[in-house]
Amino acid sequence: MKVLAIETSCDETAAAVIGDDGRTLLANVVESQIAAHQPYGGVVPEIAGRRHVESVRPVVERALAEASLGLDDIGGIAVTRGPGLVGSLLVGIHFAKALAWARGLPLVGVHHVEGHLLAPLLEHPDDAVFPAVALIVSGGHTSLFHAERFGRYRRLGRTLDDAAGEAFDKVARLIGLGYPGGPAVQRAAEGGDPEAFRFPRPTVDRAHLDFSFSGLKTAVLTVTRELGPEAIEARRADLAASFQAAVVDVLVAKALAALERTGAQRVILSGGVAANGPLRARFRHEAEARGFGVLIPPMRFCTDNAAMIGVAGARRLAAGQVDALDFDAESTLPMPEEVACA
Ligand code: KG4
Ligand code: ZN
């Protein structure tokens, strides 16, 4: 069956259509709200929800048109159930429920992070993906999983405070860059010296696989206070490069430690922060040098999109999973069959 997927968990209104094989992408539309939130320096939940209300129908219509399909051709619907902003999630969920109800179509709610984790399936046959270690780094999540097979994700570690993307966004503000912070920091770091400031590499010790980025953020804050506005501007490239290098070091070290611990031969890097160029390059280099298979989706499938929700949803629908029309949006939600590592 062809699956229509809808994603509205944060500040992107997205719709995609997945083909009968459960993997081929027939359409992928992402409408970003960046311009609406930019004046406020971050995502304003109230604005995000209202923009989704305006955009969800045209975005779904564009996806169907891009796939040259009508609703009659769609066999099932997948929608992001959570985690995310509840007021944003509800827009996609209710639009999906209305379609499912009116058309008598099966509907499945998808975990946003499972979507990120399965994004490599858009390009690889399933059996070439699992088992794998998966590092999901986004604005809301920084988690390491042992993805044993589809639907079974053993959590190895998570952030104890800020997510990696959140750290990028906060540091961007400290050094006078706008929202979204990640791409701005990456651009500012070009030409900067990553060793100009020796920022801490929090929790790089190999004893555990949790992350912590608040100490790094505080270290940047302390330095910016000492420097003052003029020196911050003069040294912005060095500040950005040094911060970025610290984050990349931590993420790569933890992923390698997880590979060692689990014995997995493949590693997935996904989520919005996986769009970061230096992270992608270092991650691939270090893992491949040790003989691991590396799966990093193209950038457009790393940041929020509905294609990844469609791939996850198509697999669940094919397995017979259908949700009743009364399921709710969830701001937090454990991964399906998530088992915390002892
Ligand atoms: O996955 P995503 O689009 O949304 C969430 O699920 O949170 O991730 C958004 C996050 C933001 O924090 C953004 O700053 C970060 O991903 N990001 C980046 C880059 N592009 C997006 N961080 C570092 N470098 C980038 N190039
Ligand atoms: Zn995301």
Side-chain angles (χ1 to χ4, degrees):
M1 74 170 72
K2 295 182 180 64
V3 172
L4 171 67
I6 299 172
E7 148 69 39
T8 63
S9 68
C10 190
D11 59 344
E12 257 100 29
T13 317
V17 182
I18 302 290
D20 295 313
D21 63 357
R23 191 176 308 118
T24 304
L25 189 57
L26 303 180
N28 188 35
V29 177
V30 180
E31 189 173 288
S32 171
Q33 302 181 355
I34 285 177
H37 300 285
Q38 228 145 21
Y40 307 95
V43 177
V44 183
E46 176 83 12
I47 293 175
R50 288 170 188 271
R51 292 303 288 254
H52 288 305
V53 170
E54 291 167 10
S55 300
V56 67
R57 181 177 147 182
V59 164
V60 166
E61 284 176 345
R62 271 165 58 202
L64 289 170
E66 201 175 282
S68 303
L69 297 172
L71 272 177
D72 288 343
D73 303 307
I74 298 298
I77 300 180
V79 66
T80 307
R81 177 180 189 174
L85 302 171
V86 168
S88 290
L89 289 163
L90 282 171
V91 179
I93 289 173
H94 282 276
F95 194 84
K97 283 181 180 177
L99 280 179
W101 184 63
R103 295 261 159 184
L105 292 171
L107 172 69
V108 69
V110 171
H111 194 291
H112 182 80
V113 176
E114 183 182 41
H116 278 305
L117 193 152
L118 296 180
L121 291 183
L122 288 157
E123 300 205 309
H124 297 272
D126 308 15
D127 50 1
V129 173
F130 301 117
V133 159
L135 174 59
I136 311 302
V137 272
S138 73
H141 311 275
T142 299
S143 292
L144 265 170
F145 295 97
H146 186 200
E148 293 168 357
R149 56 175 164 76
F150 170 77
R152 185 162 177 89
Y153 315 110
R154 200 158 62 93
R155 182 165 46 76
L156 302 169
R158 59 159 49 141
T159 183
L160 303 173
D161 38 62
D162 292 347
E166 202 177 345
F168 267 96
D169 295 334
K170 287 178 177 171
V171 164
R173 251 174 300 201
L174 290 177
I175 62 174
L177 298 170
Y179 152 86
V185 168
Q186 184 184 328
R187 269 194 308 279
E190 284 164 20
D193 176 4
E195 286 170 20
F197 298 92
R198 186 67 199 167
F199 291 131
R201 269 69 174 154
T203 68
V204 169
D205 76 275
R206 293 186 145 223
H208 63 90
L209 295 172
D210 287 329
F211 301 85
S212 168
F213 291 105
S214 70
L216 171 58
K217 181 191 64 192
T218 305
V220 178
L221 174 66
T222 306
V223 168
T224 54
R225 279 195 179 140
E226 283 164 8
L227 289 173
E230 274 173 36
I232 290 175
E233 201 178 325
R235 305 211 54 196
R236 188 174 286 139
D238 287 345
L239 285 163
S242 300
F243 162 75
Q244 183 174 257
V247 176
V248 170
D249 274 357
V250 172
L251 294 177
V252 170
K254 290 285 174 189
L256 292 175
L259 283 162
E260 206 170 282
R261 185 176 294 188
T262 57
Q265 292 303 305
R266 275 173 292 271
V267 61
I268 294 167
L269 173 66
S270 187
V273 179
N276 182 271
L279 172 62
R280 297 169 75 87
R282 256 288 296 294
F283 195 91
R284 180 174 296 285
H285 175 78
E286 301 280 351
E288 283 180 352
R290 290 165 178 78
F292 297 110
V294 180
L295 299 151
I296 309 178
M299 274 159 63
R300 68 184 188 285
F301 297 143
C302 285
T303 48
D304 285 350
N305 65 87
M308 66 186 195
I309 302 303
V311 161
R315 286 290 297 257
R316 293 193 168 274
L317 288 166
Q321 185 184 328
V322 177
D323 286 320
L325 290 186
D326 59 354
F327 74 84
D328 206 352
E330 309 283 351
S331 60
T332 60
L333 187 67
M335 277 282 266
E337 277 196 60
E338 178 179 307
V339 197
C341 189

